[in-house]
Amino acid sequence: MRYYRLPGGESRSDSDSLVVVDDEGDAYDLSTASDDLGSFTALARAANASDRSVDDIARDRIPDAVRRDLNDVEKNALLPVAPDEVWAAGVTYSISEKARKAESGKPEVYIDVYDSERPELFLKATPSRTVGPHDAIGVRGDSEWDVPEPELGVVLHREEVVGYTVGNDVSSRSIEGENPLYLPQAKVYDRCCSLGPCVATESVVEDPHDLEMSLTIERDEEVVYEDSTSTSEMATTCEKLVEYLKRHNNLPETLVLLTGTALVPPESFTLQEGDCVSIDIDHIGRLVNDTVVV
């Protein structure tokens, strides 16, 4: 099943929102079946309390839920889950290792990570820095080279995988390339991350390591970059990334872990204000964002 969040208020948080489930093309507003199911996190809490799956909870409530038009749901979808934190992994694909080497004056740092047992993990965004579908991602005003990074996102609730989403780890390659210690500034700033359009559970994402992923960037209604890949190209696994993230780490109730990118625009490309970025991942959906300078 796929879970969308619709506006019930003006907040970027899970409060005052509606949760809609897509069950094989039929959409149901679970919030109309229970006042306690106003967010994906609320569903995950109910599932955890009853030792059942999120999909089991949704199926129980569908008979009492109001039908919605799925096209309207997709057009109005918000950030599908409001994570307490967004984390990200780096250098998990061979192409990202090559790209990081190209941008950095210290390429051995990235070679060591790619060949190492321990993955690169870093805090990517807080809730206030994370946007959803149809909202604008940001590029830093003090950066000269900026790129979107399309990634599969793993949704965790109380340290357990409960679904998957599409993520965009927007990054300043010029700032990070200047010095690896500038990574937080290259990665963490206003509107640095987008997630959406939904959370897809294991019932539709049977194998997270066998998903087609594509990136399209349009400027003035013309395609300026387009490419695709597969999560099968990952040099590590989602399970390993999650296991390392949990080590000696007090994780919040709900978080998203981005798993690295295999789609890297060429060195001649940089995001500009007004660019439209579309990321598609099989069985999950399409995440679309415009671009602004922050």
Side-chain angles (χ1 to χ4, degrees), residues 19 145 207 242 268:
V19 59
W145 185 12
D207 183 358
V242 170
S268 59

Side-chain angles (χ1 to χ4, degrees), residues 172-210:
S172 167
R173 295 181 68 180
S174 57
I175 292 176
E176 183 182 0
E178 188 176 344
N179 191 308
L181 294 180
Y182 295 160
L183 176 70
Q185 296 174 76
K187 294 286 190 178
V188 185
Y189 55 88
D190 189 28
R191 298 181 176 271
C192 64
C193 178
S194 64
L195 301 172
C198 63
V199 176
T201 58
E202 293 179 349
S203 63
V204 293
V205 181
E206 296 179 359
D207 183 358
H209 307 104
D210 187 25

Side-chain angles (χ1 to χ4, degrees), residues 119-288:
E120 177 193 13
L121 295 171
F122 55 89
L123 183 65
K124 169 61 186 177
T126 55
S128 65
R129 296 177 174 89
T130 306
V131 302
H134 319 300
D135 205 347
I137 54 174
V139 293
R140 292 180 60 122
D142 60 352
S143 173
E144 299 175 353
W145 185 12
D146 303 278
V147 294
E149 295 189 6
E151 308 189 15
L152 173 68
V154 181
V155 182
L156 302 176
H157 181 259
R158 294 180 179 165
E159 302 191 356
E160 297 297 325
V161 176
V162 290
Y164 302 90
T165 192
V166 181
N168 188 346
D169 170 17
V170 194
S171 304
S172 167
R173 295 181 68 180
S174 57
I175 292 176
E176 183 182 0
E178 188 176 344
N179 191 308
L181 294 180
Y182 295 160
L183 176 70
Q185 296 174 76
K187 294 286 190 178
V188 185
Y189 55 88
D190 189 28
R191 298 181 176 271
C192 64
C193 178
S194 64
L195 301 172
C198 63
V199 176
T201 58
E202 293 179 349
S203 63
V204 293
V205 181
E206 296 179 359
D207 183 358
H209 307 104
D210 187 25
L211 301 172
E212 291 297 311
M213 177 165 54
S214 64
L215 168 65
T216 303
I217 305 172
E218 296 178 82
R219 181 173 298 161
D220 298 326
E221 299 184 351
E222 293 187 5
V223 175
V224 292
Y225 178 83
E226 190 173 32
D227 203 357
S228 62
T229 187
S230 171
T231 57
S232 63
E233 298 296 321
M234 287 180 67
T236 186
T237 65
C238 296
E239 290 83 4
K240 178 179 176 181
L241 296 176
V242 170
E243 190 272 324
Y244 268 89
L245 180 61
K246 290 161 61 173
R247 287 188 180 186
H248 312 287
N249 196 4
N250 184 17
L251 300 183
E253 180 180 13
T254 305
L255 66 80
V256 173
L257 171 60
L258 303 180
T259 55
T261 187
L263 295 174
V264 182
E267 296 177 40
S268 59
F269 176 85
T270 186
L271 276 174
Q272 297 180 9
E273 182 152 349
D275 286 354
C276 180
V277 179
S278 301
I279 303 170
D280 287 85
I281 299 183
D282 272 353
H283 307 301
I284 302 176
R286 172 178 293 180
L287 175 63
V288 180

